[in-house]
Amino acid sequence: MSSKIDLDNLTYLKGVQSYREFVEKEFLNILESVSGKKAIIIDPDLVGALSLILEIPVLKEHNVDKLIPLSSEPFKTQIKKLVFLVRPQMSSMKKVADQIIQHEQNQTKKDSVEQNFYVFFVPRVTIICKKILEQLGVSGSVIYGEFHLDLIPFDEDVYSLANEKAFRDYVLGDISSLYYVSRALVNIQSFIGIIPEIYYMGKHSKILSEMLLRMRQESDLDDSLTPQVKYLLIVDRENDLLTPMVTQLNYEGMIDELYGISHTLAELDPNVLGKEGKIEKEKMVLNSNDLLFSELRDLNMALVAPFLVKKARSVSSQYDTRKQARNIGDLKNFIKKLPNIQREHASLGTHISLTMDIGAKTTGNSDFLERLDYELNLLVESQQCDDYIEDCIAQQKDLISVLRILCLQSMVIGGFKNKKFDFFRNEIIQTYGYRHVFTLDSLEKLGMLKKSEGRSKRGFAQIRKSMDLIDENYENTKHFSSVHSGYAPQIIKLAQILFNPKQGYNVFQDLVHNFYTEDVGRQKQKISIQAKEEMKEITEKPVCMVFFVGGVTFAEISAIRILNQMEQTDVHFVIGTTHITNGNKIIESTFEKVEDNILKKKKDEFLRNKKIKLREKQQEQLQKQLLKKEKQEKGKKKN
Amino acid sequence: MENPSVHWNQFDRYYYQKRLVFHMGWNEINLDHYLIESAPFGGLIALLRDDQKIINIKNIQTNKNCIFIYTCSGKLISKLDYGDKQRVKAFGWTLDEKLIIVYDDCEIVVFDIFGEKIKTKCITSRDSTVHLVYKAKVWHNGAVILTKKNRLFIVENLSQPRFEEYSVPENLGIVSDLEILQPKFSLTGHTEVFISNLAKNLFIIDNDQTLEIEFEEMITNLKVSPTGRLLAYYTETGNLHVISTDFKSHFLEFQMNSKIKPKQIAWCSSDTVLLNFEKKNTLLMVAPSQSFLKYEYDEPLYLMTEEDGIRILTNSCCEFLSKVPEVVVNIFGIGSTSFSSLLYDASQSYEKESSKGDEVIRSKMDLLPKAITDCITASSWVFQRDLQKKLLNAAAIGKSYLDNFVHDIFADMCKDLRVLNEVRGWEIGMPLTYRQFEKIGIDLLIERLINRKHHYVALKICEYLRIRKDRVLVRWACEKVKSETESDEQILKSIISKLGKEENVSFASIASVAYSESKNDLAIKLLDYEKSASEQVPLLINMKNPGLALIKAIECANPDLIYLVLLYLLNTLDINENSLFQILSHKDMAINLLIKYCKHKNKDLLYRLYSQLKREPKEVGLLKITESLSDKINLEMKLKIRNESLIAFGVSKNNFLKKITEDNIKLVKLQQDYQQRLELVFIGLSINQTTAKLLELDLEKEAKKMKKTFKIPNDRYWWIKLRALAKKHRWKKMYAWAKNEKSPIGYEPFVEICIKNRVGNEALNYIPLVKDPYNQVKFYLRLNKFEQAADIAIKEKNQNLLQHVKSLAPKNLNIPSHI
């Protein structure tokens, strides 16, 4: 059933709750530390995160008059106190500096009164950023602070650093963001207690786990807290880049594929939600507060519609109880339930409209079905689809979707033959442009696209067989492979193996070692004897946080939730991640952003010139008309 | 021993006691000659010579620009040199005993008591006008300045001081007094300023409004009570008033009928007002009930309002006047019958080994717990140690009759009193009452002791009370480092022996002091003990030791610190590139960060770095291409750089990249040509897009040339042409093309593209060419051509298909139901 019910009584929630409260309180303290009216200028990146920890009306209560997205564009305001809320990134610093300098210049009239500028870094101030601000000439008039929001509670069981750049950084060989991941994990341990056992697989995971241990020594973490999370399994996206290439077929994953979900928000056309007469996009919140959604999110798309039908019947039968009401008491009972029924009714309406729109875009679309067919054939039988890919390129279909299937095939069959490899790459460059040499190079470096090197023992076919990844019967039994219609996400499978009492660490280690990476291991963190004793008294299933370095997909999140319900493991899983990702985002992160700008600039310039010319023309015409009129009038007068 | 109550004065409904705290240790100080400010909570006293007083030169100390800092016991701490030309306009103290000085040019400086400037804040003004101070007032965490040009500046929070300006009413005129309501007391949370003027007005000014009240007579003195709730003011005709600071209630009017202006108004216990009449050396105490009490002195006075009483300073002594609390009155009051009093008496008889006390105590066991706590509380008020002892002894005896009395209160009081007695001694001279001690807390007390360099006492107190002592040790070590008599070795040894085993000690801050004392070696050795790299690295950079700094930064993997070192290396002129590479060698994490940084900022360095690192030539080639894509360089340059990259790809034997790049160079040249000829933008387009654009322009020949040059597969060429023709709606041409040549991509795309462009009739042309009959039927159905669809089904002899068509067709159409 819904994941919410399962989690209600978990001890770990207490720690997590206190972390949540701490973050919210810290933010309110920041607001209070700046007395009087203020405007918040916020990194657009952070708006979503902020909305997850508090509600916008709360800002008004704390004298926040405006919430302005950070940019270099000047804006005018009467508000004296400007609070910047920014990520510690070099690019943001320039914008902060621009704003401060502009506002200082506007203040020349009241010469000696300083404007009040506050810059809060999220989650931490860096020396570099301060230095850059200093170089840009603003530091003197600024008060600095920190807002320690690193892991953002996306839901009761999902915690994300929301660092969308994490994967791109790894692509470029920059692993510095691991340091901040480590800080975040140390930080959360001061709320949920020290996690006694750490497992890791993958290069980055290994570095991270070592960093965690060292950082714990440096910080004075309280080891007397009862550990509320017993295991931490750190996994590396790099070891399974195949799964994200596969189309996500669970409800939430599908919404992400089709419309995109950012910080639990999906921006949808109003007609998708069945609201007519509106033009502006609607933001739909997708989390477990919507009870219906929490039941739907993990279901395979094929099961969503039948489920909704069942639900609709139950709602209408609830309405019917009114007719059966025999006396005032019955009626009173009904009225009591009414708000709940109505809420459920509204939510049901929204999800039905959404499901219909998804249906039209998927099962009602032969392109989509064709694509799915090829994907499944690849996954299940390693059946190649060169012609299909070639066709897609010839038809100049969206490059991201082309690369997704191309990479999927490359990873499934262990690479293309020399000639094919060059052929596809050439086709892509000729069709989509020269700048994609970088895209192809990055994909190659990541091992997502490669030349075959004969038969490899580590091939996907072997993995599929050894780990039993394909389950054709997913529709009848509850199995997490349903999120990809029969293909089980590899990392989730490995987590299942690790915590399955019949398999365990040794099996896990062998598998990882044989098929994925040499970097696999486990480490223990010391906890106090008292904490150890207290931990023994916990009767619930211990909690394991699976932390995805480099991103997790919604399908994988759902797979983990289903795994929790399958009752085959000794632990209850929750999820931590650097960010939530999908195939499109991964492919896109390999794009070099150079030429885009030029083209856009040229286009902008072109349009601007066009506009100017148009305006000039209009003015000319106007003047001509005026002249004409004048002449006519003069003529009249003469007459 | 005499009963303490003999020293009490009954006044109003209460008893007051004026207790002698210290005989002043100073010599020949006449308070009359000085402006005086004392820190609250029994803090230090600052004396500044009053220039307006004529003084017999012989009697004063000679240092002219000095503020003398004394303890309350009159022990000289330091002579603080406040600078030459500037004149002090106001001064005061922070809670941790730093001296705040406001100079006449609006500069605010915070000094430590040994004269080191800790913070300086000026009004920064764009047009460099100098603001001259007219009146200023300092409180423990801020200041208010009224300038001669009637501008009012407020500073709140001296740890991060900033000026805020309040608007001033135009009719301010000549000011008679100025008083502050601290932000923590005001309703708005901002500092409120009260200003009275000669024109009998009182202004209440805060950050966004001014309130003006007219009075019948001029106000000469203003004073806010220690709780911020009440305001006392004195008028020119000698009337004392007390009102609430929200100006809603009036509590007292007391007529002195004396035109002498008091030198000071002060508060005792937030309801009683004291007036200090300088000329008569009289102290007048006025209660809310209008009753009053006079104290006569034969020397000048200075009054310091405290939370729970008033400190009185004279040339010869320091006294403390306060209300006697009820618990104390209950015990020592003459004829008191309270049980606490009986308990105290009983304990006294125990001392005399009499058993009488036992009976008394057993008589009312139910009242005993309260009596015990009363004795403990009373002991906190008392200054004399023997009396404290007696009271605590009474409590201890009472306690022994009870099994379940919570011992902690007693033990804590004993500890606290021991600490208090220590600081109340002449040497430290801080007459803290227990209430005041509770208010400022142990942290601030320790801070004061450290500031006064009483490290040993501070340390002992920390150990005694079992609180963190790292702060004391670090500050001690910082002083130790400055020692000039000891060698570096000795200093290090004694610091490590004391601090080595402590947790949370910031060795970096000690090292930083060592560095500023130019003891570099000592600093580096001290840094080795520092656990936190974020403390080590910046200091090592400051000490011009980037190599070590980089190692430490990488050790903790903090990218921020690594960047810090890298930027230092790049921006420091005296570090040449070779030593940069040397420092970087084998430090992958730093190298990757540098590469990332260089990609944005410094491409030249990147090439040299690549060659230094012996990176693959392919990478160099790719780097060149990135560079060639930048919009900052012109086309010739781009081609030149791309040609260079060919060499790199050649060396690395990467045929694919080489071919692709050659193609690209060819393409750009062609595009350049088209661009000139056709005056249209081509550069930036892919091969597909270029071909498409040519076809859209009907330049079939050129497009064919593209196809040939770049070996575009036939399929793809057909697709390009198909889209181009459709885009330009050249349907006739498309049909002619389809008829003349055989399509390698079938004819489905033709149908699809026509349907997509809503030219159904055109689509019909191509359906017969489609090979697959199912697809034919499908297309016909999509175009609502049911009869044609049925024909195909019949031709194919497919009954099911026919049925399907019929089911979709409108009823009025005559579709046969069987083949």
Side-chain angles (χ1 to χ4, degrees), chain A residues 365-379:
Chain A
N365 177 345
S366 55
D367 280 0
F368 179 85
L369 292 175
E370 188 185 15
R371 169 61 168 265
L372 216 55
D373 241 20
Y374 283 115
E375 263 183 28
L376 279 175
N377 285 339
L378 260 172
L379 288 169

Side-chain angles (χ1 to χ4, degrees), chain A residues 111-113 116 126-128 173-174 176 179 214 395-396 425 427 430-431 434 441 445 598 601, chain B residues 151 162 165 558 560 592 596 618-619 622 625 629 631 656 661 664 686 688 710 716 719 723:
Chain A
D111 64 303
S112 44
V113 180
N116 289 291
T126 62
I127 306 171
I128 276 283
D174 171 12
S176 53
Y179 175 81
R214 195 174 43 233
Q395 294 177 38
Q396 218 169 314
R425 289 195 294 168
E427 288 287 290
Q430 289 206 351
T431 308
Y434 181 59
D441 185 60
K445 278 177 185 149
I598 309 174
K601 252 185 219 163
Chain B
R151 296 180 58 169
R162 53 183 44 235
E165 181 168 4
N558 182 340
D560 193 33
N592 282 333
K596 192 178 164 192
K618 181 191 113 186
E619 294 297 324
L622 284 174
I625 291 173
L629 289 172
D631 53 354
F656 172 72
T661 306
N664 179 264
S686 71
N688 261 29
F710 299 109
R716 178 142 58 85
W719 272 105
R723 280 193 301 264

Side-chain angles (χ1 to χ4, degrees), chain A residues 62 76 108 151 153 306 595 634:
Chain A
H62 286 81
K76 272 188 185 162
T108 39
L151 274 175
E595 219 170 16
K634 270 181 192 169

Side-chain angles (χ1 to χ4, degrees), chain A residues 35-36 80-81 90 104-105 107-108 110-118 125-129 131-132 135 140-144 169 172-177 179-180 183 211 214-215 217-218 220 366 390-391 393-396 421-423 425-427 429-435 437-438 440-441 444-445 592 594-595 597-599 601-602 606, chain B residues 121-127 129 131 151 153 160 162-165 189-190 468 504 531-534 538 554-561 563-564 567 571 589 592-593 596-597 599 618-619 622-623 625-626 628-631 638 642 645 649 654 656-657 659-661 663-664 681 683-689 710-713 715-716 719-720 723:
Chain A
S35 60
K80 271 190 175 177
K81 291 179 172 169
M90 299 189 198
E104 277 182 337
Q105 281 166 352
Q107 287 293 316
T108 39
K110 271 188 158 187
D111 64 303
S112 44
V113 180
E114 287 162 51
Q115 265 237 306
N116 289 291
F117 301 108
Y118 302 80
V125 62
T126 62
I127 306 171
I128 276 283
C129 285
K131 213 158 201 167
I132 291 175
Q135 281 168 359
S141 48
V142 171
I143 293 179
Y144 293 109
D169 283 347
L172 294 172
D174 171 12
I175 54 160
S176 53
S177 62
Y179 175 81
Y180 299 102
R183 286 285 288 259
M211 232 183 243
R214 195 174 43 233
M215 218 177 261
Q217 284 174 348
E218 282 173 21
D220 31 320
S366 55
E390 195 183 331
D391 257 11
I393 300 173
Q395 294 177 38
Q396 218 169 314
F421 188 48
D422 283 354
F423 169 75
R425 289 195 294 168
N426 190 41
E427 288 287 290
I429 299 284
Q430 289 206 351
T431 308
Y432 301 98
Y434 181 59
R435 70 199 158 103
V437 288
F438 297 108
L440 296 172
D441 185 60
E444 217 180 316
K445 278 177 185 149
E592 192 87 7
V594 194
E595 219 170 16
N597 291 338
I598 309 174
L599 277 183
K601 252 185 219 163
K602 273 192 184 151
F606 184 71
Chain B
K121 185 76 186 170
C122 297
I123 294 180
T124 44
S125 128
R126 270 167 226 290
D127 52 7
T129 43
H131 296 279
R151 296 180 58 169
F153 297 102
Q160 280 188 321
R162 53 183 44 235
F163 282 97
E164 198 170 338
E165 181 168 4
H190 291 274
R468 278 177 67 161
N504 306 319
K531 276 186 196 162
S532 151
S534 56
I554 291 171
E555 242 170 49
C556 75
N558 182 340
D560 193 33
L561 293 175
Y563 259 131
L564 190 72
L567 281 194
N571 295 332
M589 197 165 175
N592 282 333
L593 285 179
K596 192 178 164 192
Y597 174 81
K599 275 188 179 158
K618 181 191 113 186
E619 294 297 324
L622 284 174
L623 186 62
I625 291 173
T626 328
S628 81
L629 289 172
S630 152
D631 53 354
K638 284 183 184 197
R642 268 174 229 186
S645 77
F649 294 138
N654 196 320
F656 172 72
L657 282 174
K659 181 197 163 265
I660 290 290
T661 306
D663 277 0
N664 179 264
V681 177
I683 286 173
L685 300 181
S686 71
I687 290 172
N688 261 29
Q689 288 165 325
F710 299 109
K711 296 192 184 114
I712 299 175
D715 292 18
R716 178 142 58 85
W719 272 105
I720 297 171
R723 280 193 301 264

Side-chain angles (χ1 to χ4, degrees), chain A residues 92-102 133 136 138:
Chain A
S92 304
M93 291 309 104
K94 174 83 178 95
K95 292 175 192 157
V96 171
D98 285 350
Q99 287 297 349
I100 291 180
I101 289 167
Q102 277 160 15
L133 282 181
L136 296 169
V138 290

Side-chain angles (χ1 to χ4, degrees), chain B residues 258-289:
Chain B
S258 149
K259 288 203 174 176
I260 303 169
K261 179 186 161 189
K263 181 182 164 195
Q264 269 185 301
I265 302 187
W267 286 85
C268 181
S269 311
S270 83
D271 60 355
T272 305
V273 180
L274 287 126
L275 301 170
N276 173 10
F277 289 99
E278 191 181 13
K279 288 192 177 149
K280 297 183 193 161
N281 290 337
T282 323
L283 187 59
L284 190 74
M285 188 164 161
V286 185
S289 63

Side-chain angles (χ1 to χ4, degrees), chain B residues 26-85:
Chain B
W26 58 38
N27 279 324
E28 300 197 0
I29 290 272
N30 184 353
L31 294 182
D32 223 1
H33 300 159
Y34 293 94
L35 299 170
I36 306 160
E37 292 293 344
S38 172
F41 300 107
L44 294 172
I45 307 163
L47 300 179
L48 173 69
R49 223 199 81 190
D50 188 350
D51 290 352
Q52 288 167 358
K53 297 271 166 68
I54 303 159
I55 306 166
N56 185 352
I57 294 287
K58 276 185 205 160
N59 287 341
I60 59 157
Q61 285 152 310
T62 44
N63 311 51
K64 206 180 170 203
N65 289 327
C66 268
I67 289 179
F68 298 97
I69 294 174
Y70 285 97
T71 66
C72 285
S73 53
K75 185 183 161 200
L76 183 67
I77 295 278
S78 70
K79 296 172 188 173
L80 191 146
D81 185 349
Y82 60 80
D84 249 357
K85 292 161 205 160

